[in-house]
Amino acid sequence: MSDKSQELFARAEKVIPGGVNSPVRAFGSVGRTPLFINRAKGAYIWDADGQRYTDYICSWGPLILGHAFEPVVEAVVKAAEKGTSYGLPTEAEAEMAELVCSLVPGVEMVRMVSSGTEAVLSALRLARGFTGRELIVKFEGCYHGHADSMLVKAGSGLATAGRPDSAGVTKAAAASTLTCAYNDAEGLRKIFELHGDGIAAVIVEPVGANMGVVLPEEGFLLTLRDITKRYGALLIFDEVITGFRLGIHCAAGFYGVTADLSVFGKIIGGGLPVGAYGGRRGVMERVAPLGPVYQAGTLSGNPIAMAAGLATLKTLKSRPDIYTRLEKLGAYFRKSAANIFDKAGVPASVQGLSSLGTVFFAKGEIKNYDKAKTCDTKRFARYFNGLLERGIMTAPSQFEAMFLSAAHTESDIEYMLGCIKEIAARKGF
Ligand code: PMP
């Protein structure tokens, strides 16, 4: 289909493991080789052969305003002209921290880092340093980046590969992580009854978005808040996907539940490599140089990344209509797609919230990782490839989210629904 992509893949494979710099890009679970991308604008990307696709990956989340959004590009160019990195503080870092603290409930101080993974591992170290305890509870199917202790029953690329764990993770690192089924408040209660005084933190994706999109059941997040508080453990919201996507006040504002620590990435960097962690002042003051928990980074708070992030967050803050529209567009897509599959007699659960969504090819609502794994991944591959042939790029895995951006139009969605109708009606689908 794309000769140039094939050629580039052959080149890349020789010198990059699997030809890609992040596993899910390999397209392995949908039985093909990756497309190499040459440029993007708004809701569209073009591959190396010049073929255009409507893009529902959107760099896996950062690009809520669409590709090459002009105020972001302008801010990046302006910042780059003044120097790409100093290794000394800048005004933009203070402005970014002020903005995040003013927008996210419970965040009184924030530290910038360079990826979601780095933000998570820093927050975990801080939770352990603050509580003097070692155990961390995570939920099955949640992905929190590739820190050793988080590669236990993780979602995202690991779910696709069907590998519960990674080689190279020590038994000790895995043993300090306890896992619980998502949405299983009772299970969490039992874990705390057994290990409560050893648990430093519970980390959760407030909306599960790495086993496909799985919503928290009513009261689930509040129960996590209550249990952690009772046992003196910290609650960490991993808002790498939900942060500034569910709304300008993130999942914490959306659900009205405040975590002790929150982790960010993606949107906060406007498409540049950024992560951040923040929270209660009393906890954040334990971070070096104020406190004994060490964490540092050569490119942390990088001026170009801050410029892209600030341009993105300021646009979102001044344009609440963007969230209203995304919610409407997302809800319309989910309802219409569900109707199409229903009429075609295809078992599917179309789930999501706001601009996040997943078409699960399984019967009934998906509430946790075990249920997500019952999906017909072969049918998903046919769905993915059917869309790709029609110029639509969605995540090449059953266990990832579809991302809408402010650049997607009603007619983009109508076109996609028309394609889904054709695909679902195909013999053998
Ligand atoms: N947490 C969540 C919820 C994520 O979705 C991701 C990445 N998709 C990460 C952490 C890790 O972020 P990064 O890829 O920037 O290291």
Side-chain angles (χ1 to χ4, degrees), residues 2 82 90 97 134 273 286 376 387:
S2 175
K82 290 166 66 182
T90 62
E134 296 210 346
R286 305 305 292 269
D376 184 343
L387 288 174

Side-chain angles (χ1 to χ4, degrees), residues 95-277:
E95 195 183 355
M96 171 62 91
E98 284 164 358
L99 191 58
V100 173
C101 292
S102 73
L103 291 173
V104 190
V107 176
E108 295 172 331
M109 292 184 113
V110 64
R111 173 61 67 80
M112 302 306 298
V113 293
S114 298
S115 70
T117 294
E118 197 186 348
V120 167
L121 71 87
S122 306
L124 296 179
R125 184 183 303 136
L126 175 56
R128 287 173 164 137
F130 179 79
T131 59
R133 302 170 177 182
E134 296 210 346
L135 298 174
I136 303 287
V137 181
K138 81 175 280 290
F139 293 92
E140 293 164 13
C142 284
Y143 178 68
H144 300 292
H146 62 89
D148 280 0
S149 68
M150 292 291 99
L151 291 178
V152 180
K153 297 197 176 166
S156 193
L158 289 144
T160 308
R163 263 184 275 130
D165 270 321
S166 166
V169 173
T170 62
K171 284 197 193 92
S176 64
T177 305
L178 308 176
T179 60
C180 179
Y182 198 78
N183 276 324
D184 184 5
E186 214 32 61
L188 186 70
R189 219 169 255 131
K190 284 192 188 125
I191 289 176
F192 268 88
E193 276 164 20
L194 284 173
H195 305 284
D197 55 1
I199 297 173
V202 171
I203 185 165
V204 67
E205 286 183 71
V207 171
N210 283 288
M211 47 182 148
V213 179
V214 174
L215 301 182
E217 285 182 328
E218 175 98 42
F220 178 60
L221 297 175
L222 211 54
T223 308
L224 302 195
R225 180 63 285 179
D226 289 346
I227 297 177
T228 45
K229 197 175 231 167
R230 182 145 22 99
Y231 284 88
L234 300 187
L235 177 61
I236 305 175
F237 275 176
D238 182 340
E239 296 239 30
V240 168
I241 285 185
T242 53
F244 309 103
R245 179 164 288 278
L246 297 191
I248 196 70
H249 303 301
C250 307
F254 188 88
Y255 287 108
V257 180
T258 303
D260 300 294
L261 289 174
S262 302
V263 176
F264 305 94
K266 303 196 191 257
I267 290 177
I268 204 174
L272 273 86
V274 174
Y277 66 105

Side-chain angles (χ1 to χ4, degrees), residues 62-63 72 76 114 265-266 268-275 302-309:
L63 305 176
V72 172
V76 163
S114 298
K266 303 196 191 257
I268 204 174
L272 273 86
V274 174
N302 172 269
I304 304 176
M306 292 304 96

Side-chain angles (χ1 to χ4, degrees), residues 28 275 325 344 361 427:
R325 188 175 158 273
F361 289 106
K427 234 182 152 184

